[in-house]
Amino acid sequence: MGRAVPAGALLVALVVLGASSAADAGLSGVFQEMVKSECHFINGTDRVKFVKRFIYNREQYMHFDSDVGLYMGDTPYGEKVARYWNSHPEWMEYRRAAVDRHC
């Protein structure tokens, strides 16, 4: 029981210090990465298009379009990543078949 009091005091001090620094921080440390997959059915099920979008902080930086069959960069960073992924034939074969798997 002798150790519980100092540990409790330390916890309270950390919470108080953490709360004040968190209030001053603002939202500058918040980042969001999102991947969104879409199936577009054109003319019923005659033609199906699969699109996979890669978004960072509300900006799409790259996407895969099954009609094109390649990753396309939408920003300079996305172009670098797309070149890297497009250069792997096994991965691209898997990605091109995604329209059948997902849709």
Side-chain angles (χ1 to χ4, degrees):
M1 190 148 163
R3 296 173 88 183
V5 173
L10 177 62
L11 180 60
V12 168
L14 288 173
V15 168
V16 169
L17 290 173
S20 66
S21 65
D24 299 334
L27 296 177
S28 63
V30 177
F31 302 99
Q32 181 183 36
E33 176 84 26
M34 183 169 69
V35 178
K36 186 175 179 184
S37 298
E38 305 169 358
C39 294
H40 298 268
F41 296 92
I42 302 154
N43 198 16
T45 57
D46 272 352
R47 192 162 157 258
V48 181
K49 177 179 176 178
F50 175 73
V51 178
K52 188 164 192 160
R53 302 176 188 280
F54 297 83
I55 302 160
Y56 181 74
N57 280 355
R58 296 183 286 169
E59 180 181 19
Q60 179 174 309
Y61 65 91
M62 181 177 66
H63 69 278
F64 175 83
D65 184 339
S66 65
D67 284 351
V68 177
L70 294 170
Y71 286 94
M72 306 296 290
D74 299 313
T75 66
Y77 171 73
E79 290 173 2
K80 282 175 43 175
V81 176
R83 271 194 304 274
Y84 174 77
W85 284 8
N86 289 334
S87 69
H88 291 82
E90 302 86 23
W91 174 250
M92 292 308 296
E93 183 179 326
Y94 176 78
R95 181 52 58 209
R96 287 182 186 116
V99 68
D100 298 323
R101 281 192 314 276
H102 294 289
C103 303

